[in-house]
Amino acid sequence: MTVSAKDKELKVSLREATYNQLKDLILNGQLRPSERLSENGLAKRFGVSRTPLREALMKLEEEGLITGQRNLGYTVADLDITGFCNLLVVREALDVCAAKLACEKATEEDLERLRGVIDQMVALKDTDNLTPSAAAENLHLGLYIHRVIAEATKNEALVRATDQIYQQLRLALWLEVLWVDLEHTDLDEHRAIADAIIARDLEAAAQAASAHVQSSLKNMSKLERIWQHRRLSGLA
């Protein structure tokens, strides 16, 4: 039997709606860290079949918000601040290396991509929109600009390592955007990195990349305080 275009659209929209609902429950603390997720219970809660739910769960696992184990199902990822800080130390080394190499290796097309991402960030901030969708777009652009920088190095090993470290930092970055960096102040930090790379200033690019990660490290202590407050208040 042929599936119509309309049926395909409905399937995609149902999957996206399920994904968004479940992600909101996690990020708002209604589903607690380390909490086991019941597929049957969630399917009933959202009024969907197991197929769109499982697709949503797989996408959330890719983003680091939940973890899956064979024969055990899924659990909400735990907020391991110490682990995130250790990852950020590695991220700083990678980002500094990427920024310096991009200064040397980036083509004019790469630099134009950098300018384009910064323009999108500026446009997003100018909307003064603090909705979850705006936060999601802000995070997407923040991750994407680092991907653009890594690709500009022409070093596939560095691109893979950068992807891996950012994947492991997904939960921390989500909460940083939602709970700490509510005004998208990372725009200035990203712009400083981009400007230095476009100017092919290795020292300035390295300093800007390092400062950006140091800002995230400081935000981790704020995030931990917020997390503890939410737990004591019964919000997480």
Side-chain angles (χ1 to χ4, degrees):
M1 188 173 90
T2 304
V3 179
S4 68
K6 184 176 181 180
D7 287 338
K8 288 181 180 179
E9 288 179 9
L10 288 173
K11 183 179 179 181
V12 170
S13 62
L14 184 60
R15 180 186 62 205
E16 287 300 310
T18 304
Y19 158 77
N20 288 325
Q21 286 178 290
L22 187 51
K23 181 169 69 177
D24 286 344
L25 290 177
I26 294 170
L27 296 177
N28 291 333
Q30 294 181 54
L31 292 174
R32 299 166 182 265
S34 301
E35 180 176 340
R36 182 69 57 81
L37 299 176
S38 165
E39 290 190 29
N40 285 333
L42 290 172
K44 291 178 182 178
R45 184 172 187 168
F46 299 142
V48 298
S49 68
R50 297 284 285 276
T51 299
L53 177 63
R54 284 176 176 169
E55 290 173 344
L57 289 168
M58 286 189 289
K59 187 173 181 180
L60 289 167
E61 183 179 23
E62 290 175 1
E63 294 183 351
L65 296 183
I66 64 175
T67 57
Q69 289 182 290
R70 190 173 181 179
N71 299 324
L72 293 176
Y74 293 94
T75 57
V76 179
D78 198 5
L79 191 66
D80 179 4
I81 296 296
T82 300
F84 289 145
C85 288
N86 289 338
L87 288 169
L88 284 168
V89 171
V90 178
R91 173 189 162 185
E92 182 175 7
L94 289 173
D95 283 2
V96 168
C97 179
K100 292 169 70 174
L101 278 177
C103 287
E104 299 175 335
K105 302 291 187 179
T107 64
E108 285 305 312
E109 182 181 355
D110 294 324
L111 299 183
E112 192 57 36
R113 289 178 70 197
L114 266 181
R115 295 186 186 97
V117 181
I118 293 297
D119 287 345
Q120 291 179 67
M121 288 181 166
V122 171
L124 181 62
K125 186 174 182 179
D126 286 346
T127 63
D128 195 27
N129 189 344
L130 301 180
T131 63
S133 61
E137 180 63 16
N138 186 54
L139 176 60
H140 168 72
L141 290 172
L143 292 171
Y144 181 60
I145 194 170
H146 291 288
R147 173 79 189 200
V148 170
I149 293 169
E151 289 178 349
T153 69
K154 315 307 177 188
N155 186 315
E156 286 301 319
L158 182 56
V159 173
R160 288 195 300 271
T162 299
D163 279 349
Q164 184 179 27
I165 206 75
Y166 274 89
Q167 191 66 40
Q168 294 177 73
L169 280 166
R170 279 276 187 165
L171 178 60
L173 296 174
W174 259 114
L175 296 180
E176 183 181 6
V177 168
L178 288 173
W179 292 358
V180 181
D181 187 22
L182 299 177
E183 297 181 354
H184 303 175
T185 55
D186 61 343
L187 169 60
D188 292 337
E189 296 168 5
H190 284 126
R191 183 152 43 193
I193 299 170
D195 287 348
I197 292 173
I198 291 168
R200 301 191 186 276
D201 186 333
L202 273 71
E203 184 176 348
Q207 289 177 349
S210 177
H212 178 49
V213 181
Q214 287 298 317
S215 178
S216 282
L217 278 166
K218 291 177 182 176
N219 282 341
M220 288 303 103
S221 62
K222 296 178 185 177
L223 184 58
E224 186 168 29
R225 289 196 299 271
I226 294 170
W227 180 247
Q228 292 299 332
H229 174 72
R230 289 173 69 90
R231 291 187 68 179
L232 291 173
S233 303
L235 296 174

